[in-house]
Structures are given as C-alpha cells and as structure tokens.
Amino acid sequence: MARSKEFDIDDVLLKAMNIFWQQGYEKTSMQDLVAGMGIHKRSMYDTFGDKHTLYIKALERFASIQRSRLEGRIEGVTSAAAAIRLLFEATIHRSEAEPKGCMLVNTAVELSNHDAEAAATANEAFENTEALIEQLVRHGQAGGEISTRYTPEALAASLNNALIGLRVMVKTVKDKDKLEMIVNTTLGMLE
C-alpha cells in the first residue's frame, strides 16, 4: 500500500519558490531545497522530479501569485491611469519580508541564455503583464483619460519594459523618492 504524503504540496512548493527567489537557480543546492522545504530528498524527487522541474513549477507559481497580486491591486479601480500607476507602485512598495526584486526578472537574467524552458516561462509572464497593461491603456484611451499619441500596443510594450526595469532597480536602489520620480516620468507617456 502506498504511503500518503506527509506534507502539503502547495506549502513545500512555496518554500522552494522562496529559496530559489532568494538564491537563484544555480546557487541553490539540493541540500538547500531539502532543508528549506522540510521534506526528504526522495520525497522531493518523487513529488516534483528533478531540481529543474521543481524550479519551473516554482517559477510558474511565482508568476501566478504575481498576476493575482497585480489584478487584485487594481480590482475596482475605475481610472486606467491610476491602475497602471498602482502596478508600478506595487513594485516599489513590496513587503520587506520578501526577497528583493522579481523571480521572473532574476530568471531572465540568470537562465535565459541557456535554459529555453525557464526563458519561455518568464517571457510568458512578461507577456501576460503587457497584455494587462494594454487592456488598461485601451480602456483609458477609449475614455479620453490616456493620450492616443501612441498605439495601445506601443504604450503597453514601453510601460512593460519600464516595469521590468523597475523590478531590477528595486534590488539595488534604496532611495524610494528616486524610484517614484522614475515612475512619474515613465507614466508621463500616458499624458
């Protein structure tokens, strides 16, 4: 008779996600994962497969959480420009308990040149954010709140690029006023 799992799969996946987010893929050892997840090595392999498979699952979980947070942050906001601003401010004002930066950006920088699956997973999440921004831009342009000087596609691509860059900057820039200035300047494209 097969033994039932003695751990919550979602809980240990979140633990793995946080370990990878903090340390990156290459610097995370199997021992780090086993210790941090609180499960036996065999259980980890049986449940998640190898380290790479676990990383991709953790990255997908991060992307899902990130998407839910972004959508939750703007839910009920009637102003498209205000909703876009909230997306940027969420990047600046992250919880101090979380690792700095964005696991998706970290993955793109660390692995995209030699790991097509990790690159595709990160890129899909970036594209989803861009689609959300484009939807907001279209709504704002239709209501006259956002300038039509640029196409929704162009604005969304530029804003998403700036948002990704901001996710990099929050790892090293401590000056919140400087980050806010960057956001204000970037969002000037909407006027």
Side-chain angles (χ1 to χ4, degrees):
M1 176 178 210
R3 285 180 52 184
S4 63
K5 299 220 182 302
E6 296 176 5
F7 55 87
D8 181 274
I9 293 174
D10 289 333
D11 181 52
V12 295
L13 182 58
L14 283 173
K15 289 176 181 177
M17 180 192 82
N18 282 310
I19 295 164
F20 283 128
W21 186 5
Q22 182 82 33
Q23 298 178 185
Y25 179 77
E26 297 294 340
K27 289 188 177 179
T28 301
S29 70
M30 292 304 289
Q31 185 55 41
D32 293 335
L33 291 166
V34 169
M37 293 167 70
I39 62 174
H40 297 288
K41 196 175 204 177
R42 182 82 230 149
S43 295
M44 190 189 79
Y45 282 116
D46 289 346
T47 304
F48 299 105
D50 61 8
K51 176 183 166 184
H52 185 263
T53 302
L54 175 59
Y55 186 81
I56 296 299
K57 288 179 190 222
L59 186 61
E60 290 169 345
R61 174 59 60 86
F62 180 89
S64 174
I65 291 169
Q66 181 80 3
R67 176 75 180 205
S68 293
R69 280 184 181 173
L70 291 177
E71 290 173 350
R73 186 168 285 271
I74 64 172
E75 187 176 331
V77 176
T78 56
S79 164
I84 292 169
R85 176 173 291 282
L86 285 172
L87 296 178
F88 279 80
E89 289 179 354
T91 299
I92 295 173
H93 304 290
R94 295 186 69 93
S95 166
E96 292 298 321
E98 293 180 343
K100 287 186 177 182
C102 170
M103 187 176 175
L104 295 163
V105 170
N106 296 348
T107 298
V109 171
E110 180 185 9
L111 300 176
S112 65
N113 284 339
H114 60 276
D115 186 332
E117 188 175 11
T121 302
N123 197 49
E124 180 181 350
F126 294 151
E127 288 172 355
N128 287 338
T129 300
E130 187 171 320
L132 175 63
I133 294 170
E134 184 177 333
Q135 180 182 15
L136 291 168
V137 168
R138 286 183 188 284
H139 176 73
Q141 286 180 332
E145 176 186 8
I146 294 176
S147 169
T148 56
R149 176 176 39 167
Y150 303 107
T151 66
E153 297 85 2
L155 265 176
S158 294
L159 290 170
N160 190 47
N161 181 65
L163 184 59
I164 291 167
L166 187 64
R167 289 175 180 172
V168 172
M169 289 193 74
V170 297
K171 291 183 74 151
T172 59
V173 175
K174 307 251 186 276
D175 184 350
K176 300 276 190 209
D177 290 336
K178 180 177 183 176
L179 296 172
E180 289 284 352
M181 177 193 67
I182 291 167
V183 169
N184 290 335
T185 303
T186 300
L187 296 183
M189 288 188 282
L190 301 177
E191 299 170 356

